[in-house]
Amino acid sequence: MKKIDIWKAACAVGEPGCFPQLTSYLFDGAFDRTAIMKTVDTHLDKLKDEFHSYFPNTEEMSTSLNWIRNPFVVQSASIPDRLWESLADVSTDEGLKMKFSATTSLSSAWCWEGIP
């Protein structure tokens, strides 16, 4: 969604550099840039609406799942009750914490032996 906002802002000032094909099309011919940019803006609005219809509340969901990305930074409100006890064990294990901070792959971190 953020990229769509960036694209819209660029197009609003008449600089569609984020769309190389459109840029070359506009500069190669004598076209009504304003009408074309309005069409692009409308398309981006519709695209954003479509994304929202398929993926509602993505930013809210992202923050509520931070405990999955880093189980050592736990916020009690974001964790389902059935997982609390297991997550408490994981988040207080210093050995796992050191191993977690040394790895870059989230999927490999969650596949370690010893995680309840």
Side-chain angles (χ1 to χ4, degrees):
M1 300 301 173
K2 289 182 181 182
K3 281 194 177 184
I4 292 175
D5 293 334
I6 292 168
W7 297 338
K8 282 180 59 66
C11 290
V13 294
E15 295 296 328
C18 46
F19 303 111
Q21 295 289 4
L22 176 62
T23 302
S24 65
Y25 175 77
L26 290 174
F27 288 111
D28 286 346
F31 303 103
D32 182 10
R33 287 178 60 111
T34 306
I36 293 173
M37 297 311 289
K38 179 66 178 162
T39 302
V40 170
D41 186 62
T42 302
H43 173 73
L44 291 172
D45 283 335
K46 288 179 181 178
L47 182 63
K48 192 171 185 177
D49 290 343
E50 281 295 310
F51 277 131
H52 278 296
S53 73
Y54 285 104
F55 308 104
N57 305 323
T58 53
E59 290 180 15
E60 292 171 22
M61 288 182 65
S62 179
T63 21
S64 70
L65 298 176
N66 280 342
W67 65 272
I68 294 171
R69 288 183 206 94
N70 188 346
F72 304 101
V73 180
V74 179
Q75 296 175 347
S76 61
S78 65
I79 297 162
D81 292 337
R82 62 186 171 77
L83 297 176
W84 233 146
E85 189 174 328
S86 295
L87 191 58
D89 291 340
V90 170
S91 66
T92 56
D93 186 326
E94 289 299 317
L96 283 176
K97 188 174 184 177
M98 288 189 306
K99 195 173 182 180
F100 183 85
S101 64
T103 189
T104 57
S105 169
L106 182 62
S107 59
S108 66
W110 276 107
C111 293
W112 294 329
E113 290 182 36
I115 292 185

